[in-house]
Amino acid sequence: MIDVNGEIDRLSLMVSSLLIVTRLEEIELNMRPVDLYEEVDSIIKLFLPLADQYDIELINKCQKNVAVLMDEARFKEILINLVDNSIKYSREGGFVEISCIKREEIVELIVRDNGCGISEGDLHCVFDIFYRVDESRTRKTGGSGIGLYLVKKIVELHGWSIKVKSRLNEGTEFIINIKSGL
Ligand SMILES: Nc1ncnc2c1ncn2[C@@H]1O[C@H](COP(=O)(O)OP(=O)(O)OP(=O)(O)O)[C@@H](O)[C@H]1O
Ligand SMILES: [Mg+2]
């Protein structure tokens, strides 16, 4: 029964992610200035119980007092997906570090972990819908391969860009170039 229950949770999560994906094109962004340090702080608080469970340290290395124009709810979805991945694909005792650096009109936001990493061959596919690296190895983590697709769509809706750098068995970083718009 516990297995079945877990599976139902997984499927309903997948259905709600798919609903977001299918409605993405119609979404109107509700843009307003948001402080990045505060935003990252609230996401870290959200993930603390899960991170504790896996003995993973969550670190907020953002510059303070950096605000950018964004749809806050959508931005939370970006961070939630990236941090969720970093925790899921990390090892016990690892870390997830979120940093942001303002460079003139661009703010660079980086979510970095020292987890299992992604091989060069898989790296260019990770933003594809339903793509999961090594399905058998990652089955226990129970995702659907929608998260990063959604992240990229939301990033592009804002007119921003995202790239990924990774080394197998060393770690991964997702870098978002945010137009500060202020
Ligand atoms: N931080 C990371 N470290 C290592 N591998 C990663 C990381 N983030 C993503 N991946 C790989 O990229 C794949 C796609 O990620 P994505 O978030 O789209 O899907 P998922 O996490 O498997 O499922 P979902 O997000 O829908 O629950 C993952 O299955 C995983 O193999
Ligand atoms: Mg994911």
Side-chain angles (χ1 to χ4, degrees), residues 10 13-14 17 81-90 111-113 115-118 122 125-135 137-138 141-151 164 166 171-174:
R10 195 181 73 78
L13 260 178
M14 180 171 162
S17 306
N81 273 295
L82 293 180
V83 175
D84 175 59
N85 281 347
S86 283
I87 294 175
K88 264 199 309 200
Y89 306 113
S90 273
V111 179
R112 184 166 77 92
D113 64 61
C116 68
I118 304 165
D122 288 307
C125 303
V126 291
F127 293 109
D128 295 352
I129 193 161
F130 302 134
Y131 191 83
R132 305 196 71 216
V133 177
D134 191 355
E135 188 63 33
R137 189 190 66 191
T138 54
T141 57
S144 328
I146 300 174
L148 286 178
Y149 175 82
L150 190 66
V151 164
V164 55
S166 187
T172 304
E173 62 181 56
F174 286 89

Side-chain angles (χ1 to χ4, degrees), residues 19-38:
L19 282 176
I20 298 175
V21 167
T22 53
R23 289 197 201 123
L24 261 183
E25 315 301 330
E26 306 162 21
I27 282 174
E28 266 193 47
L29 296 181
N30 178 13
M31 303 289 273
R32 63 178 196 84
V34 173
D35 183 278
L36 281 177
Y37 182 92
E38 301 293 330

Side-chain angles (χ1 to χ4, degrees), residues 23-159:
R23 289 197 201 123
L24 261 183
E25 315 301 330
E26 306 162 21
I27 282 174
E28 266 193 47
L29 296 181
N30 178 13
M31 303 289 273
R32 63 178 196 84
V34 173
D35 183 278
L36 281 177
Y37 182 92
E38 301 293 330
E39 201 60 30
V40 167
D41 204 51
S42 78
I43 297 299
I44 285 184
K45 289 207 173 88
L46 195 71
F47 276 101
L48 273 182
L50 187 70
D52 277 350
Q53 205 176 316
Y54 293 99
D55 190 25
I56 289 168
E57 194 186 356
L58 302 179
I59 309 159
N60 184 355
K61 276 229 180 137
C62 289
Q63 271 178 6
K64 289 200 172 164
N65 302 317
V66 176
V68 298
L69 264 189
M70 62 163 76
D71 183 314
E72 190 180 11
R74 299 275 98 84
F75 185 69
K76 279 191 197 296
E77 285 166 5
I78 294 178
L79 283 181
I80 287 171
N81 273 295
L82 293 180
V83 175
D84 175 59
N85 281 347
S86 283
I87 294 175
K88 264 199 309 200
Y89 306 113
S90 273
R91 49 185 130 241
E92 286 208 2
F95 68 81
V96 181
E97 181 193 280
I98 309 170
S99 56
C100 64
I101 307 162
K102 190 167 164 51
R103 305 181 199 282
E104 286 159 20
E105 296 309 300
I106 297 284
V107 181
E108 198 175 69
L109 178 97
I110 302 176
V111 179
R112 184 166 77 92
D113 64 61
N114 62 344
C116 68
I118 304 165
S119 74
E120 221 179 302
D122 288 307
L123 212 50
H124 64 282
C125 303
V126 291
F127 293 109
D128 295 352
I129 193 161
F130 302 134
Y131 191 83
R132 305 196 71 216
V133 177
D134 191 355
E135 188 63 33
S136 58
R137 189 190 66 191
T138 54
R139 182 161 298 138
K140 71 177 172 62
T141 57
S144 328
I146 300 174
L148 286 178
Y149 175 82
L150 190 66
V151 164
K152 189 160 191 231
K153 285 280 174 194
I154 299 173
V155 163
E156 286 169 351
L157 271 178
H158 280 85

